[in-house]
């Protein structure tokens, strides 16, 4: 399948009037291919039943489909299925680790290393853990061009550091972390590693075993799947060492009022009726991406990103942030124009960008701006989207004189 033909797979890429919509906000959430829409409609309709409980055939079939979805998604990131916990998204996955692992394994005075470019989802759960158990948080600075500075990380890390938690790909700058290097530095002081793979899983080929981290989190909706579901991968022995964080149905072994024993992972961390439809849709999205080839998608997005950076810079009045080598995401500023105004004018032109702090306010402080404009690409993006973006910026410049 050529990447050029995929636009037709995505009904969301048309405006209400049926015109092409230049969707440059895939880093916020990706449009869905028809295959994912069809899979979720089937799961919600003809195939629908609960999982793990029913004695009737439809429920048994749905249970098989739900667990097959787990196998598909785990396999996609190089993990065995029993190491993949379904969550509501990357945010919930990090909160799960901060609670179930952090409450148990960290104590007052232990340190966690984050970086300046983290999404709030990888900052606030650790601040809440700090409030609960008294850990300390350190922040790894960035290099001048916006990469997590691993030379600085090496200097900061001490045996008091029990966790290093970093984004694989920045949702603002597209900066890519050398995960194996970060893992080696963490290992040298005995720290565990969590990688926020929200922006990496849709854009890079991921093998958690090769990366060597302990936790890896991601969301379905960024990889062309439904909202409301994501995943936590963690090594089996680490999951085993974690108590549950939510209680309810499906996560138990035996319940009495005196004492309850819990199911083994991953069920231990999936209390309640799960997001069945979403899991099926998540697996359909992974199958869609696999059929196209993650490497092909990565090369396609990298090429578009490089082209966008070049062409934006050629406009002179634009500042482009972040490293030259970036994955699918470009943040920029237009001189004298607030990103929100630019976003509003671009919307009139059928171009959707994101304008704001992108849930990364410490990074905005580091860049010295309250907000940036961000264009982000997906498998369906092409040169026409960049051309429309540039036309819209030129028009904005004329309007602002
Ligand atoms: N981390 C990063 C790098 C992200 O881009 C996002 C989503 N913007 C998140 C975490 C949180 O993901 P979600 O909102 O799907 O839980």
């Amino acid at each position: 399948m050529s990447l050029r033909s995929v636009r037709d797979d995505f009904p969301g890429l048309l405006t209400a009037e049926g015109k092409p919509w230049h969707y440059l906000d895939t880093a916020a959430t990706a449009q869905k291919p028809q295959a994912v829409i069809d899979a979720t409609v089937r799961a919600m309709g003809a195939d629908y039943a609960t999982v793990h409980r029913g004695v009737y055939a439809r429920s048994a079939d749905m249970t098989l489909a739900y667990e097959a979805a787990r196998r598909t998604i785990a396999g996609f990131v190089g993990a065995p299925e029993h190491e993949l916990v379904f969550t509501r998204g990357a945010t919930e996955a990090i909160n799960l680790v901060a609670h179930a692992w952090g409450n148990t394994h960290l104590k007052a005075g232990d340190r966690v290393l984050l970086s300046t470019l983290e999404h709030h989802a990888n900052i606030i759960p650790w601040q809440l853990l700090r409030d609960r158990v008294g850990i300390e948080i350190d922040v790894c600075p960035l290099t001048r061009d916006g990469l997590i500075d691993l030379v600085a990380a090496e200097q900061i890390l001490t045996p008091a550091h029990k966790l290093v938690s970093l984004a694989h790909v920045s949702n603002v700058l597209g900066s890519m972390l050398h995960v194996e290097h970060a893992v080696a530095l963490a290992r040298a002081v005995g720290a565990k590693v969590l990688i926020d793979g929200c922006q990496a899983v849709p854009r890079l080929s991921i093998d958690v075993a090769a990366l060597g981290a302990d936790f890896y989190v991601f969301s379905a909706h960024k990889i062309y799947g439904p909202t409301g579901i994501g995943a936590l991968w963690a090594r089996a022995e680490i999951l085993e060492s974690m108590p549950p964080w939510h209680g309810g149905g499906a996560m138990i072994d035996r319940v009495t009022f005196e004492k309850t024993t819990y199911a083994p992972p991953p069920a231990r961390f999936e209390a309640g009726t799960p997001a069945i439809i979403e899991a099926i849709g998540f697996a359909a999205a992974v199958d869609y991406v696999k059929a196209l080839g993650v490497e092909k998608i990565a090369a396609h997005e990298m090429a578009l990103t490089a082209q966008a950076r070049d062409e934006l810079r050629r406009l002179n009045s634009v500042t482009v942030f972040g490293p030259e080598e970036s994955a699918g995401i470009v943040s920029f500023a237009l001189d004298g124009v607030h990103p929100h105004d630019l976003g509003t004018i671009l919307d009139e032109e059928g171009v959707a960008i994101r304008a704001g702090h992108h849930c990364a306010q410490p990074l905005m402080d580091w860049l010295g701006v309250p907000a940036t404009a961000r264009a982000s690409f997906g498998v369906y993006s092409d040169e026409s989207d960049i051309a429309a973006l540039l036309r819209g910026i030129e028009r904005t410049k004329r309007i602002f004189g």
Side-chain angles (χ1 to χ4, degrees):
M1 210 185 312
S2 137
L3 287 181
R4 285 184 186 283
S5 69
V6 304
R7 268 182 110 97
D8 294 342
D9 295 346
F10 292 83
L13 289 178
L14 294 176
T15 64
E17 297 77 41
K19 293 205 202 103
W21 189 39
H22 297 287
Y23 185 70
L24 290 170
D25 200 17
T26 296
T29 198
Q31 295 293 325
K32 316 306 171 201
Q34 194 61 45
V36 168
I37 298 167
D38 290 346
T40 55
V41 167
R42 255 193 328 273
M44 207 170 356
D47 294 349
Y48 189 67
T50 194
V51 294
H52 296 150
R53 284 188 268 279
V55 290
Y56 44 91
R58 178 89 72 84
S59 174
D61 289 347
M62 195 49 129
T63 304
L64 288 178
Y66 178 73
E67 290 305 328
R70 188 194 305 279
R71 200 153 50 242
T72 298
I73 296 153
F76 183 62
V77 296
E81 64 201 90
H82 62 278
E83 293 186 343
L84 191 111
V85 180
F86 282 127
T87 63
R88 281 178 52 229
T91 301
E92 191 180 75
I94 299 173
N95 279 280
L96 193 172
V97 175
H99 275 261
W101 181 81
N103 287 3
T104 315
H105 294 283
L106 300 190
K107 56 181 190 321
D110 286 346
R111 308 188 80 87
V112 170
L113 181 65
L114 310 175
S115 87
T116 306
L117 62 66
E118 299 310 314
H119 188 282
H120 296 166
N122 192 28
I123 299 174
I124 297 155
W126 307 115
Q127 292 176 325
L128 295 173
L129 179 65
R130 178 171 67 190
D131 296 343
R132 288 197 300 277
V133 308
I135 59 156
E136 307 284 340
I137 293 172
D138 293 304
V139 183
C140 182
L142 308 181
T143 63
R144 278 172 59 116
D145 56 355
L147 294 161
I148 297 173
D149 186 347
L150 292 180
V151 174
E154 187 168 14
Q155 284 157 6
I156 296 169
L157 283 168
T158 66
H161 288 92
K162 303 299 177 208
L163 181 73
V164 174
S165 189
L166 301 173
H168 196 165
V169 169
S170 157
N171 65 310
V172 178
L173 304 175
S175 328
M176 291 177 277
L177 175 69
H178 194 304
V179 175
E180 294 91 332
H181 186 183
V183 168
L185 297 179
R187 292 284 177 260
V189 295
K192 298 265 186 287
V193 178
L194 184 151
I195 298 296
D196 172 359
C198 229
Q199 299 293 348
V201 166
R203 315 205 143 75
L204 306 172
S205 172
I206 305 299
D207 179 349
V208 290
L211 291 175
D214 301 286
F215 305 98
Y216 198 95
V217 306
F218 51 108
S219 289
H221 71 99
K222 311 247 186 207
I223 180 168
Y224 315 103
T227 50
I229 191 162
L232 162 68
W233 165 80
R235 292 173 191 292
E237 66 272 19
I238 297 178
L239 287 176
E240 286 291 348
S241 79
M242 291 160 48
W245 78 309
H246 287 162
M251 47 75 74
I252 55 96
D253 167 37
R254 174 90 182 100
V255 181
T256 66
F257 278 106
E258 289 68 42
K259 181 176 167 57
T260 290
T261 51
Y262 305 115
R268 185 186 299 166
F269 304 105
E270 295 178 5
T273 304
I276 304 165
I277 297 158
E278 292 78 0
I280 306 279
F282 193 173
V286 162
D287 284 337
Y288 180 84
V289 166
K290 268 168 41 183
L292 289 176
V294 195
E295 273 90 5
K296 251 180 156 175
I297 297 173
H300 174 72
E301 288 188 22
M302 294 273 203
L304 286 177
T305 312
Q307 181 188 339
R309 291 181 68 88
D310 275 356
E311 296 195 9
L312 282 169
R313 241 185 320 243
R314 242 179 271 143
L315 295 179
N316 289 325
S317 41
V318 172
T319 307
V320 181
F321 302 113
E324 287 311 311
E325 275 257 296
S326 61
I329 299 168
V330 190
S331 266
F332 59 95
L334 177 60
D335 289 352
V337 181
H338 193 280
H340 285 144
D341 294 330
L342 173 62
T344 305
I345 294 170
L346 286 173
D347 187 37
E348 293 166 8
E349 302 276 312
V351 179
I353 60 155
R354 176 84 180 264
H357 56 64
H358 317 289
C359 299
Q361 286 180 350
L363 177 55
M364 295 300 113
D365 292 343
W366 182 81
L367 291 170
V369 294
T372 72
R374 179 185 73 183
S376 55
F377 301 107
V379 59
Y380 37 65
S381 308
D382 64 21
E383 289 87 354
S384 76
D385 299 318
I386 298 177
L389 172 67
L390 296 176
R391 273 198 309 276
I393 294 175
E394 291 290 11
R395 179 167 165 246
T396 310
K397 280 167 65 179
R398 285 197 297 277
I399 291 171
F400 277 81

